[in-house]
Amino acid sequence: MQPIVIIGTGLAGFNTVKEFRKLDKETPIVMLTADDGRNYSKPMLSAGFTKEKTADDLCMATPEKVSEQFNVDVRTGVHVAGIDPQKKRVLLPDDHLDYSKLVLALGADTWTPPLEGDAVGEVFSVNDLMDYAKFRAAIEGKKTITILGGGLIGCEFANDLSNGGFQVQLVEPMGRCLPLLLPEAASEAVGRGLQELGVQFHFGPLAKAVHHGDSGKLVTELSDGSKLESDVVLSAIGLRPRIDMAKEAGLSTNRGILTDKGLRTSAEDIFALGDCAEVEGHVLPYVLPLMASARALAKTLAGEPTDVSYGVMPVTIKTPACPVVVCPAPAGSEGDWEVEADGNTVQALFRGKDGNLLGYALTGDAVKEKMKLNKELPAVMP
Ligand code: FAD
């Protein structure tokens, strides 16, 4: 009997195995990962200084421990080169592996804009535990950091690194914090909270180049001509679902690997979940949706075809300088923000034309309203 093969040992791959083993203890499973396979919670990467955690502290289980606990064959440092859906085969650099069912839990790639300069190769991005270990080693004994991007990851790192005693400068071309998630008043509250911690913002210009400066520092050149000196540069511009492997194998893709509610891709016996997947049009690169997906997929793999449903999916942003919870309205929703602000406490409710609540953004003390508002919101994907 060919094994179930899962590519990816992040939260999506790991939780699929964990849920599946509650239902089926015996079916052979092989997990393949390009990284070192250590089990960790990715959201902790941008809270490491606040929680005083090194990369080793964040490792919750070694691959050996996962193998033993869940009766799986975990193969680390294996970069899967492709898939042959006709032969039901995963292509490895020097070999291949046949599967009965294949799960793509490939995650998302960091995206850095096309920067110029002789220090571009030294710009960090932190998207897994191995990146985090390298980043922590590189900033040891350093004082100043430039962060490119003021979205969720950029703002969380700005808060966390400030808590760690670093002087942070943050560049965000869209002119405010979390511009794609929050209305203006809420962005301003987050900006003020971070500023009070000492974060300096450069709103408006784009980063164009990163050079080595004369003083041994890195110099980030912005499109308005200004130059920011710092010891380290961290890119937190954005993430893109990893779709290339699926696309090359002929699977349907859009922003993510397309699946139906049963997490089935367009190829027989191939499933996708987590950051790489677009489930019935939803690309939701967060933990709650992937946990719901892992539970549904485990049942399907165990012989009980099950659709995933997404209830209300709030996202808590880890900026303790100004707490934020946001529940974005479905993409393309028509409506208006109703905003009440009192200092850094902002309650912003997004209502549709009929007055129904479709989304919210809460900052400061208003985050307490989350549970009450969740009850009013429609499910993301019933
Ligand atoms: P990943 O964890 O990226 O795993 C992908 C796996 O695929 C890896 O094992 C990788 O090695 C493997 N892989 C990829 N390509 C190949 C290949 N060709 N061959 C072999 N293996 C391959 N979400 C929240 O809900 N709340 C938060 O507070 C939050 N904070 C975050 C903070 C940061 C800094 C980041 C980066 C993300 C945060 N997120 C948060 C998002 C959340 O962490 C992700 O949605 C989730 O971890 C994605 O898990 P995944 O398993 O889909 O992908």
Side-chain angles (χ1 to χ4, degrees), residues 135-158:
F135 179 65
R136 285 289 296 239
I139 62 176
E140 182 73 37
K142 303 279 166 55
K143 293 199 163 45
T144 52
I145 297 192
T146 301
I147 297 178
L148 310 181
L152 181 147
I153 294 171
C155 285
E156 290 194 348
F157 271 112

Side-chain angles (χ1 to χ4, degrees), residues 95-346:
D95 200 359
H96 65 260
L97 179 65
D98 292 336
Y99 59 80
S100 56
K101 295 194 172 65
L102 177 65
V103 176
L104 303 177
L106 300 168
D109 265 326
T110 46
W111 181 76
T112 304
L115 293 168
E116 292 170 10
D118 62 3
V120 172
E122 290 170 42
V123 174
F124 281 90
S125 54
V126 176
N127 188 31
D128 61 34
L129 195 56
M130 290 165 77
D131 291 343
Y132 182 72
K134 279 190 220 139
F135 179 65
R136 285 289 296 239
I139 62 176
E140 182 73 37
K142 303 279 166 55
K143 293 199 163 45
T144 52
I145 297 192
T146 301
I147 297 178
L148 310 181
L152 181 147
I153 294 171
C155 285
E156 290 194 348
F157 271 112
N159 200 143
D160 192 48
L161 290 163
S162 300
N163 287 352
F166 294 90
Q167 172 60 57
V168 175
Q169 309 198 68
L170 187 149
V171 181
E172 171 49 63
M174 287 176 76
R176 56 193 177 91
C177 292
L178 300 156
L180 300 175
L181 285 174
L182 301 183
E184 231 165 275
S187 288
E188 280 164 14
V190 178
R192 279 194 299 272
L194 291 176
Q195 240 163 357
E196 280 159 23
L197 276 187
V199 177
Q200 292 169 9
F201 290 107
H202 301 271
F203 285 141
L206 289 161
K208 277 182 56 187
V210 183
H211 304 283
H212 287 109
D214 297 335
S215 57
K217 304 240 181 215
L218 299 180
V219 178
T220 305
E221 207 181 305
L222 307 187
S223 54
D224 64 357
S226 48
K227 294 188 166 112
L228 314 180
E229 274 201 348
S230 59
D231 296 314
V232 177
V233 179
L234 173 66
S235 172
I237 306 274
L239 290 168
R240 290 184 173 175
R242 290 194 177 110
I243 62 170
D244 292 353
M245 190 196 302
K247 207 169 168 179
E248 280 161 23
L251 275 60
S252 302
T253 58
N254 181 37
R255 282 171 63 207
I257 302 168
L258 291 177
T259 80
D260 63 10
K261 284 179 79 177
L263 303 165
R264 290 176 205 86
T265 68
S266 58
E268 205 178 337
D269 290 325
I270 304 184
F271 302 83
L273 82 167
D275 282 9
C276 67
E278 180 168 339
V279 182
E280 287 259 310
H282 297 277
V283 177
L284 296 173
Y286 303 111
V287 176
L288 274 181
L290 74 78
M291 299 293 272
S293 297
R295 285 191 292 273
L297 182 54
K299 286 188 187 161
T300 300
L301 295 174
E304 185 193 333
T306 303
D307 284 350
V308 62
S309 57
Y310 295 151
V312 176
M313 294 279 161
V315 181
T316 298
I317 295 165
K318 299 183 293 298
T319 46
C322 177
V324 184
V325 183
V326 58
C327 215
S333 302
E334 286 196 20
D336 293 299
W337 284 105
E338 257 173 33
V339 181
E340 280 176 33
D342 179 9
N344 285 352
T345 291
V346 176

Side-chain angles (χ1 to χ4, degrees), residues 8-9 11-12 33-34 42 46 78 80 105-107 245 275 285-287 318:
T9 55
L11 289 173
T33 179
K42 191 180 280 201
S46 49
V78 180
V80 176
L106 300 168
M245 190 196 302
D275 282 9
Y286 303 111
V287 176
K318 299 183 293 298

